[in-house]
Amino acid sequence: MKRVVTVLQTDGWANTPRAVALVKEYGKKNKLDISVEQIVSKNQEDVQSYKFIGSPTIRINGLDVDPTARSVTQYGITWRLIDWMQDASSIEKVLHAAFVEAGWINA
């Protein structure tokens, strides 16, 4: 069964390709058939429609993989500095929790 991870982004943000690669690597490591849907927010209408909080935003089943970002209500075409993307163990923890929450892997 193919599972879809959505990556919301703006053009030109260097961390977006890395975020996509991390999601794919984690899926492969856990033997999941993952498709990454990349959506570019180009204008204020897109920003409001997608509730875009910054690039990159990684969502599974419509939920940000970072639970602390789910309550953010300020949307805009901006870049997102994500602390947990800076080291491998933090990335693993955040993605693991999100995949478990989605029911894609076991805890």
Side-chain angles (χ1 to χ4, degrees):
M1 174 178 152
K2 186 164 289 274
R3 293 166 168 94
V4 179
V5 176
T6 304
V7 177
L8 300 168
Q9 64 190 71
T10 55
D11 282 330
W13 184 233
N15 274 344
T16 300
R18 181 167 184 251
V20 170
L22 291 169
V23 168
K24 288 180 178 179
E25 287 171 26
Y26 192 80
K28 186 175 181 179
K29 178 180 173 182
N30 287 281
K31 298 179 172 84
L32 295 171
D33 186 12
I34 289 182
S35 172
V36 177
E37 173 189 31
Q38 292 181 250
I39 299 174
V40 178
S41 288
K42 298 177 184 175
N43 54 47
Q44 201 59 32
E45 186 177 310
D46 289 347
V47 165
Q48 293 303 316
S49 174
Y50 297 120
K51 298 182 179 179
F52 182 68
I53 64 170
S55 185
T57 293
I58 305 168
R59 292 183 181 162
I60 296 175
N61 296 337
L63 296 176
D64 197 300
V65 296
D66 181 356
T68 64
R70 295 178 187 171
S71 61
V72 174
T73 58
Q74 294 181 356
Y75 312 123
I77 295 178
T78 186
W79 296 329
R80 187 170 167 187
L81 298 175
I82 304 173
D83 293 338
W84 57 263
M85 280 188 63
Q86 304 310 312
D87 70 270
S89 65
S90 294
I91 293 163
E92 288 274 326
K93 287 177 187 172
V94 169
L95 290 178
H96 179 78
F99 280 49
V100 167
E101 181 179 25
W104 294 359
I105 60 174
N106 295 322

